[in-house]
């Protein structure tokens, strides 16, 4: 059976600006063919099982020629694959999307197009420039500043000046002086507000604003480079007041998030929304102990326990998988009470339709132990990591509370991307590295090597045990008292 090609607009860079439909298509792709302008944060969303074809490699300065891209799309679809052709911004705005679909149409291959948010509007918006405004611009014109090989720029500057609208030039960095000269010669006011936005919507975004006549010098001073767009029009004067993005509290900060991949989402997204340049690098992963006869045995006689204690979402997940595997569901819990170490673990329970009866005031193993000692009259069942903190069991033992402590998942430290992380650390490093458990510290140190330079960043740690582990490696730390993601975000925001 023949496959299909879906042309997807990846948006201008901020992964949050990929459309819901585009993301859905990406998640179902067998093969993803992408360009240079698709941001790494969007590429992260490509499923691990999908094959990636990079047709925009710039290293050799020879991106794959268009006819060859067309052929790749055709062949992959004809081989029966579900192909996503991912393009920066919107595929039909100077993205040759039309040409690619024509080639597929000629061969009778099934295709669809999912529009993206174009940089022409979004990079301006993140630069504080609304492309239209009732007071000063009633039309918007998007123009290419790139000439076909060997040809001169073919722009009707007089017509553009007469529109009195907002002009947005894409691919115009090299031709900037020529474009400005053209506009001035066609009679545009030399003091017309203008701007360049480089790497728009990304944490590395830079903006330069100047009167039209001064823009080329100003852009050269700042060393503005592609990808950047040029905006000309009275709306540019609003940028100083409206440049919300550059004012985000973590703008310009580079933060490494070391949580395991499937649980990094909320932390990374929060930091990203505060303007940080977030690099996700899961330093550990967890693996359920499977099969787990000890847990199965305990679940057979669940009513022997008064309390069931969980110290992480991974533990809840392992428990539920085991329960379901035994053909049981939440009803098997009967009257057993549930303890969770903190709100995230509590939410993992909520997601399964049950509510924690106990969450300690301070979210760590020692406080969970104390809370259980106060509450427990019968036996406690702990389902947690192989290397779970002894602080919890010590508290129960000291008070004579009977318990079973079963290892239901383990932490894995091997990391195929260690070299990449090491290089990133050496290259410029990070302002902050987040550690959500002692094991993430161990995983980080083992990935970059114990001899790496740990003096160039501050570790943001959840809990004393995590901070203690980081200090062993002479990492300077800030510690969140509460084991909650929001407390970690607060630390990043502290001056
Ligand atoms: N289809 C894309 C445009 C492709 S042409 C879109 O809709 O956005 C490539 C040009 O787009 C670049 O030379 C630059 O001018 C502009 N561009 C793309 N991404 C950009 C970004 N994040 N910030 C600023 N300009 C960008």
């Amino acid at each position: 059976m023949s496959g299909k090609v879906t042309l997807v607009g990846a948006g201008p860079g901020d992964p949050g600006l990929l459309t819901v439909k585009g993301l859905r298509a990406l998640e179902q792709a067998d093969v993803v063919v992408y360009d240079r302008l698709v941001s790494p944060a969007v590429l992260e969303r490509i499923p691990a099982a999908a094959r990636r074809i990079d047709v925009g490699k710039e290293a050799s300065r020879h991106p794959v020629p268009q006819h060859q891209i067309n052929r790749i799309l055709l062949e992959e679809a004809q081989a029966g694959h579900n192909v996503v052709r991912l393009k920066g911004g919107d595929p039909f705005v100077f993205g040759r999307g039309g040409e690619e679909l024509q080639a597929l149409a000629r061969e009778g291959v099934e295709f669809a197009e999912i529009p993206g948010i174009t940089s022409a509007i979004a990079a301006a918006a993140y630069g504080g420039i609304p492309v239209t405004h009732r007071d000063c611009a009633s039309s918007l014109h998007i123009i290419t500043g790139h000439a076909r090989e060997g040809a001169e720029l073919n722009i009707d500057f007089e017509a553009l000046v007469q529109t009195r609208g907002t002009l947005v030039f894409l691919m115009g960095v090299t031709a900037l002086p020529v474009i400005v000269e053209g506009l001035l010669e066609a009679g545009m006011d030399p003091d017309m507000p203008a701007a360049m936005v480089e790497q728009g919507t990304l944490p590395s975004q830079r903006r330069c604003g100047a009167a039209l006549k001064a823009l080329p010098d100003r852009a050269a001073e700042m060393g503005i480079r592609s990808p950047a767009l040029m905006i000309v029009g009275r709306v540019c004067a609003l940028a100083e007041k409206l440049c919300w993005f550059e004012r985000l509290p973590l703008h310009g900060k580079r933060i490494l998030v070391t949580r395991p991949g499937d649980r990094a989402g909320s932390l990374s997204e929060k930091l990203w929304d505060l303007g940080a340049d977030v690099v996700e690098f899961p330093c550990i992963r967890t693996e359920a102990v499977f099969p787990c006869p000890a847990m199965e045995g305990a679940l057979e006689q669940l009513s022997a326990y008064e309390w069931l204690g969980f110290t992480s979402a991974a533990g809840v997940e392992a428990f539920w998988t085991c329960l379901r595997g035994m053909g049981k569901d939440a009803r098997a819990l009967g009257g057993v009470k549930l303890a969770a170490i903190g709100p995230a673990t509590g939410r993992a329970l909520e997601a399964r339709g049950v509510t924690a009866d106990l969450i300690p005031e301070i979210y760590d193993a020692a406080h969970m132990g104390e809370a259980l000692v106060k509450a427990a009259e019968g036996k406690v069942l702990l389902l947690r990591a192989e290397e779970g903190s002894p602080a919890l069991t010590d508290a129960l033992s000291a008070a004579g509370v009977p318990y079973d402590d079963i290892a239901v998942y383990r932490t894995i430290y091997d990391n195929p991307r260690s070299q990449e992380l090491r290089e990133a650390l050496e290259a410029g490093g990070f302002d902050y590295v987040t550690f959500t458990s002692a094991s993430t510290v161990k995983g980080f140190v083992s990935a970059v090597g114990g001899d790496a330079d740990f003096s160039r960043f501050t570790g943001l740690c959840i809990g004393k045990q995590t901070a203690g582990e980081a200090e062993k490696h002479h990492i300077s730390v800030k510690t969140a008292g509460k084991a909650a993601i929001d407390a970690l975000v607060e630390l990043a925001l502290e001056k």
Side-chain angles (χ1 to χ4, degrees):
M1 211 187 80
S2 177
K4 175 178 177 177
V5 176
T6 308
L7 193 51
V8 176
D14 179 342
L17 296 179
L18 174 63
T19 66
V20 174
K21 192 165 180 180
L23 180 60
R24 211 187 300 145
L26 198 57
E27 282 169 351
Q28 286 161 8
D30 305 320
V31 179
V32 180
V33 182
Y34 62 93
D35 277 342
R36 185 172 57 85
L37 271 180
V38 178
S39 75
V42 170
L43 295 179
E44 293 270 321
R45 305 297 194 273
I46 298 176
R51 191 151 42 88
R52 298 165 166 232
I53 302 178
D54 178 359
V55 292
K57 278 213 179 79
E58 221 203 356
S60 58
R61 291 236 145 235
H62 284 300
V64 179
Q66 190 60 49
H67 65 90
Q68 207 168 319
I69 297 177
N70 296 355
R71 218 186 59 222
I72 293 172
L73 296 177
L74 193 64
E75 286 175 1
E76 292 292 346
Q78 284 171 340
H81 297 130
N82 187 8
V83 184
V84 162
R85 169 70 171 119
L86 196 57
K87 280 178 170 288
D90 180 88
F92 289 165
V93 178
F94 301 121
R96 302 190 187 178
E99 292 172 46
E100 294 182 6
L101 294 193
Q102 281 173 307
L104 296 169
R106 269 197 298 273
E107 301 292 332
V109 170
E110 191 189 340
F111 58 80
E113 198 263 356
I114 301 175
I117 295 184
T118 178
S119 65
I121 294 173
Y126 275 51
I129 301 170
V131 288
T132 73
H133 188 291
R134 279 203 300 171
D135 295 340
C136 48
S138 53
S139 68
L140 163 67
H141 310 268
I142 303 174
I143 307 124
T144 170
H146 180 77
R148 282 209 169 201
E149 198 100 12
E152 296 233 328
L153 269 186
N154 181 19
I155 300 175
D156 184 344
F157 288 109
E158 273 167 24
L160 288 178
V161 171
Q162 275 165 19
T163 66
R164 305 163 66 91
T166 303
L167 310 180
V168 177
F169 292 87
L170 302 188
M171 299 178 278
V173 177
T174 318
L176 177 62
V178 183
I179 295 169
V180 171
E181 200 184 284
L183 290 170
L184 293 176
E185 274 174 8
M188 187 173 271
D189 178 359
D191 290 317
M192 177 64 81
M196 302 280 292
V197 180
E198 177 190 75
Q199 309 245 4
T201 80
L202 290 166
S204 46
Q205 171 177 309
R206 294 195 302 161
R207 175 180 58 94
C208 103
L212 181 63
K213 61 180 185 220
L215 192 66
D217 285 345
R218 182 83 189 95
E221 265 166 40
M222 282 180 68
I224 297 284
R225 296 197 306 157
S226 176
L229 45 79
M230 172 194 184
I231 309 154
V232 183
R234 287 164 57 204
V235 286
C236 293
L238 301 170
E240 287 310 322
K241 286 235 159 64
L242 304 186
C243 62
W244 61 276
F245 183 64
E246 295 152 34
R247 294 196 194 116
L248 288 174
L250 295 180
H251 185 74
K253 295 270 187 271
R254 208 166 134 84
I255 304 183
L256 180 74
V257 171
T258 60
R259 273 162 85 85
D262 47 344
R263 277 186 281 279
S266 56
L267 176 58
S268 302
E269 270 159 27
K270 281 182 182 158
L271 295 171
W272 185 284
D273 287 345
L274 289 165
D277 184 1
V278 179
V279 180
E280 275 186 14
F281 189 93
C283 286
I284 53 166
R285 59 193 168 87
T286 56
E287 187 181 80
V289 174
F290 183 81
C292 188
M295 175 156 54
E296 284 174 23
L299 298 197
E300 286 294 353
Q301 37 177 319
L302 212 47
S303 56
Y305 298 98
E306 188 199 7
W307 282 93
L308 197 51
F310 294 101
T311 59
S312 72
V316 174
E317 204 174 299
F319 167 73
W320 236 267
T321 308
C322 182
L323 195 69
R324 300 292 291 141
M326 293 168 71
K328 301 185 180 202
D329 61 26
R331 286 168 296 182
L333 288 168
V336 180
K337 290 182 203 155
L338 301 174
I341 197 165
T345 309
R347 275 194 298 277
L349 287 170
E350 294 278 351
R352 267 101 181 161
V354 292
T355 309
D357 300 285
L358 179 160
I359 294 180
E361 236 163 73
I362 294 177
Y363 313 138
D364 66 20
H367 289 85
M368 179 162 174
E370 274 173 32
L372 275 171
V373 165
K374 279 203 197 112
E377 286 168 359
K379 197 169 180 186
V380 177
L381 174 60
L382 300 174
L383 300 176
R384 53 187 196 143
E386 213 164 52
E387 62 286 4
S389 161
L392 174 50
T393 39
D394 287 352
L396 297 179
S397 303
V401 175
Y403 66 84
D404 285 328
D405 182 17
I406 298 178
V408 299
Y409 67 94
R410 57 176 75 93
T411 306
I412 313 274
Y413 294 100
D414 63 334
N415 203 313
R417 283 168 59 204
S418 315
Q419 183 62 24
E420 211 179 295
L421 180 60
R422 219 188 146 88
E423 280 166 16
L425 191 65
E426 276 162 14
F430 302 95
D431 296 284
Y432 298 120
V433 178
T434 66
F435 296 115
T436 45
S437 65
S439 54
T440 58
V441 179
K442 287 185 206 151
F444 173 76
V445 172
S446 96
V448 295
D451 58 337
D453 182 359
F454 293 132
S455 69
R456 294 164 68 182
F457 63 86
T458 301
L460 303 181
C461 300
I462 278 188
K464 283 202 195 104
Q465 280 140 350
T466 308
E469 184 64 34
E471 280 168 338
K472 275 192 212 159
H473 302 280
H474 309 290
I475 296 172
S476 68
V477 299
K478 285 191 187 181
T479 312
K482 279 199 140 197
I485 293 308
D486 286 336
L488 209 58
V489 174
E490 289 293 320
L491 283 186
L493 287 170
E494 260 176 23
K495 285 281 168 284

